[in-house]
């Protein structure tokens, strides 16, 4: 199936894409009940012979919202995302590129495709892309006690519509992908599995090895060594009490960087319907 992720030179099609190989890719998910925040980092290297304007393209989970972005050039120059009016942002980007500066511009075309223009990327440079996004984890259709996390690793047409102006080509399945998931549920975790990839699992804590007291509501998941960026990653989490009303509280302390201690509350209500059984066929 034709798919694409990564850095693409603007205006050259896909033929020069190999000038920006992916060196390393890693993502950490922090799951709290049905809510998650993820931090994705991908490292690329520019083998281009000249300065080029490029686009970074990567798929996002359904209903995900990007909350921060930055590109780090050669571990020195940092380009951070700042929200501006669309025309103002494009004008500032074009002015910076015309002045020979390295700049970035994010434009959202589809809700599940993250796309950023980076201008004046010099030869033989390292580009590290950092993205943070939040999302709500949907229930798995098999049980009200089960959640299903899907981490897309390729862009493909969804519901018959594909993003425009993206050169389609085959993804490099040799790109290894490091993924870790820290799980914190309200009640005991009963099982975690993946129908798509081999995974490692530690119950009772947020580390690969259990240290300290066993906590049944916690778990730590990581991909096996053979995981590749060749298909979407799916992780299924089952826990007690997922079909009951509940409230989660997260506190941001001054010691963690908050201007003042702040509490955030999330109330989850799960509808239940008394439906008559369908007659057997």
């Amino acid at each position: 199936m034709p798919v694409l992720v990564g850095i693409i030179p603007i205006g050259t099609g896909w033929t020069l894409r190999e000038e920006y190989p992916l060196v390393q890719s890693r993502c950490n998910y922090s799951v709290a009940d049905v809510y998650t925040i993820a931090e994705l980092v991908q490292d690329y290297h520019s083998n281009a012979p000249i300065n080029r304007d490029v686009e970074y393209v990567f798929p996002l989970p359904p209903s995900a919202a990007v909350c921060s972005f930055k590109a780090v050039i050669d571990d020195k120059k940092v380009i951070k995302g700042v929200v501006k009016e669309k025309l103002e942002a494009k004008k500032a980007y074009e002015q910076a590129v015309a002045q020979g500066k390295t700049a970035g511009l994010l434009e959202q075309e589809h809700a599940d495709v993250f796309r950023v223009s980076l201008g004046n990327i010099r030869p033989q440079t390292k580009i590290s892309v950092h993205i943070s996004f939040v999302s709500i984890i949907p229930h798995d259709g098999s049980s009200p006690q089960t959640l299903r996390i899907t981490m897309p690793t390729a862009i493909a047409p969804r519901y018959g519509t594909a993003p425009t102006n993206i050169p389609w080509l085959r993804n490099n399945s040799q790109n290894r992908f490091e993924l870790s998931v820290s799980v914190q549920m309200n009640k005991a975790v009963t099982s975690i599995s993946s129908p798509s990839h081999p995974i490692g699992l530690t119950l009772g804590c947020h580390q690969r090895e259990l240290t300290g007291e066993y906590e049944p509501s916690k778990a730590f998941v990581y991909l096996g060594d053979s995981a590749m960026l060749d298909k979407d990653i799916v992780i299924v989490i089952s826990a007690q009490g997922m079909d009951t009303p509940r409230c989660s509280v997260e506190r941001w302390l001054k010691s963690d960087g908050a201007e003042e201690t702040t509490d955030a509350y999330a109330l989850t209500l799960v509808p239940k319907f008394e439906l008559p059984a369908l007659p057997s066929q």
Side-chain angles (χ1 to χ4, degrees):
M1 178 180 294
V3 293
L4 179 145
V5 296
I7 289 182
I8 316 155
I10 295 176
T12 61
W14 58 269
T15 55
L16 298 179
R17 180 174 179 264
E18 296 303 320
E19 292 184 351
Y20 300 90
L22 176 64
V23 178
Q24 187 178 22
S25 186
R26 53 202 180 277
C27 186
N28 174 255
Y29 269 75
S30 295
V31 175
D33 197 61
V34 297
Y35 311 98
T36 183
I37 181 169
E39 296 181 0
L40 171 70
V41 181
Q42 290 192 308
D43 297 331
Y44 295 85
H45 187 269
S46 170
N47 294 325
I50 59 174
N51 289 14
R52 293 196 193 281
D53 298 341
V54 301
E55 282 188 326
Y56 171 78
V57 182
F58 197 83
L60 292 173
S63 76
V66 174
C67 49
S68 71
F69 164 81
K70 69 177 180 180
V72 182
I73 312 299
D74 279 341
D75 297 322
K76 298 176 182 178
K77 180 177 179 60
V78 179
I79 302 172
K80 290 186 177 181
V82 177
V83 178
K84 291 186 176 182
E85 191 274 332
K86 185 175 182 179
L87 294 179
E88 179 188 357
K90 190 167 186 178
K91 182 178 180 181
Y93 168 77
E94 292 173 347
Q95 288 177 345
V97 171
Q99 295 170 6
K101 299 178 180 178
T102 302
L105 176 66
L106 166 63
E107 295 180 287
Q108 183 171 351
E109 179 181 8
H110 276 230
D112 56 356
V113 177
F114 186 82
R115 185 170 183 169
V116 180
S117 301
L118 298 172
N120 279 323
I121 299 299
R122 294 175 173 80
Q124 302 303 314
T125 57
K126 172 187 173 183
I127 307 115
S128 294
V129 178
H130 300 246
I131 307 171
S132 294
F133 57 88
V134 295
S135 63
I136 297 177
I137 310 171
H139 280 265
D140 186 62
S142 61
S143 168
Q145 307 283 3
T146 304
L147 302 176
R148 185 182 184 92
I149 298 176
T150 301
M151 176 65 190
T153 60
I155 299 169
R158 301 181 191 274
Y159 311 112
T161 304
T164 58
N165 301 321
I166 293 181
W168 299 89
L169 67 155
R170 296 193 176 277
N171 190 21
N172 181 4
S173 62
Q174 298 304 308
N175 289 334
R176 294 187 178 275
F177 188 74
E178 298 177 14
L179 176 69
S180 62
V181 183
S182 299
V183 179
Q184 174 69 69
M185 309 306 289
N186 283 315
K187 293 187 177 181
V189 176
T190 55
S191 70
I192 298 180
S193 62
S194 173
S196 63
H197 291 76
I199 61 171
L201 171 64
T202 305
L203 295 174
C205 67
H206 285 165
Q207 298 174 330
R208 284 203 178 200
E209 297 183 3
L210 179 61
T211 57
E213 185 178 352
Y214 179 90
E215 299 184 52
S217 61
K218 291 183 178 181
F220 184 76
V221 185
Y222 54 94
L223 285 186
D225 294 337
S226 60
M228 298 288 184
L229 264 175
D230 58 349
K231 59 182 176 180
D232 290 356
I233 300 166
V234 178
I235 295 175
V236 179
I237 303 172
S238 297
Q240 297 176 357
M242 295 303 297
D243 60 345
T244 59
R246 56 200 182 275
C247 184
S248 302
V249 182
E250 184 174 357
R251 174 163 290 178
W252 190 18
L253 302 172
K254 287 185 177 181
S255 59
D256 294 330
E259 293 184 3
E260 59 181 31
T261 299
T262 305
D263 292 334
Y265 297 83
L267 177 63
T268 303
L269 301 175
V270 182
K272 293 184 179 181
F273 302 96
E274 295 292 338
L275 299 177
L278 295 175
S280 59
Q281 298 294 324

